[in-house]
Amino acid sequence: MAQEPTLEGLFRQARHSAVHLEMRDGYMRSDPEFVSWSRAPLSVPARHDPASRPWLSLMREVTDRGVAVRRARIFSEPMSDYLRYEHHLTPGNVAAGEQVRWLPRRRASDLALPGNDFWLFDDALVLFLHFTGDGELSPEGDEERTTDPAVVRHCSMAFESVWERSIPHEEYQPV
């Protein structure tokens, strides 16, 4: 039986789009770089250089092939320290070709959203991401994949409704 591709492999297989909806106020707070940043924000540079952040190299590779990579973040205001950290790093993502937008949670109340963060590849495969209440990857399995057309359609519609209302990264400044 063939092994499913990794997240990186899914990006490399993508033909036209990869969209990501993030709905938590914090992730991986145990990350040593976040811990350093939370103690002294100016001590952690935004690092736009793909050599220092492998994710940026992957995004540049994928977007250079013409794949549109869009990320939308729903968040509470005032913004959590973790999302302030992500906002600090996001210019590197944008420079690597990702399009990133922010949607204050109060502006999302009437939207039908799935229960978990997800990546949607080529409007065909949904990769749900599972986290603990503290924002760490779930020990019971951190991802779930589906190609069910109804789930794909729901996630696509949810993402597009968030994207339409959200604020481009370049225009959003944390309160």
Side-chain angles (χ1 to χ4, degrees):
M1 182 154 104
Q3 189 171 356
E4 291 183 321
T6 63
L7 179 61
E8 184 176 323
L10 291 172
F11 276 102
R12 291 207 162 100
Q13 291 175 2
R15 293 182 314 274
H16 61 83
S17 67
V19 302
H20 187 32
L21 183 58
E22 296 178 4
M23 299 180 283
R24 300 181 55 88
D25 285 323
Y27 300 88
M28 310 299 288
R29 291 181 178 115
S30 63
D31 174 25
E33 190 168 284
F34 169 66
V35 172
S36 293
W37 182 88
S38 64
R39 290 184 183 136
L42 298 178
S43 70
V44 177
R47 296 190 351 235
H48 304 301
D49 177 21
S52 66
R53 288 176 59 199
W55 179 260
L56 302 182
S57 292
L58 178 61
M59 290 303 96
R60 175 56 55 210
E61 172 191 327
V62 171
T63 58
D64 280 353
R65 283 193 296 110
V67 175
V69 179
R70 297 184 293 157
R71 178 188 304 258
R73 293 176 171 141
I74 298 174
F75 65 98
S76 302
E77 287 183 306
M79 188 179 270
S80 71
D81 285 345
Y82 189 87
L83 287 185
R84 286 180 187 283
Y85 166 71
E86 281 196 339
H87 190 274
H88 169 72
L89 294 177
T90 297
N93 297 60
V94 172
E98 277 191 65
Q99 300 170 60
V100 180
R101 291 188 179 184
W102 301 84
L103 181 64
R105 192 170 309 283
R106 288 181 183 273
R107 294 179 52 193
S109 296
D110 62 337
L111 300 178
L113 302 170
N116 294 291
D117 291 10
F118 64 86
W119 278 101
L120 173 59
F121 294 91
D122 293 329
D123 289 318
L125 170 75
V126 176
L127 174 74
F128 287 109
L129 304 171
H130 299 289
F131 297 91
T132 66
D134 292 334
E136 302 296 324
L137 291 172
S138 174
E140 290 131 20
D142 58 358
E143 68 175 51
E144 170 188 351
R145 298 170 190 221
T146 185
T147 56
D148 179 301
V151 175
V152 167
R153 187 171 39 260
H154 173 63
C155 289
S156 178
M157 291 172 58
F159 180 85
E160 294 303 330
S161 65
V162 169
W163 189 256
E164 183 178 298
R165 287 188 188 181
S166 57
I167 304 160
H169 175 75
E170 300 78 9
E171 297 174 21
Y172 181 76
Q173 290 302 314
V175 193

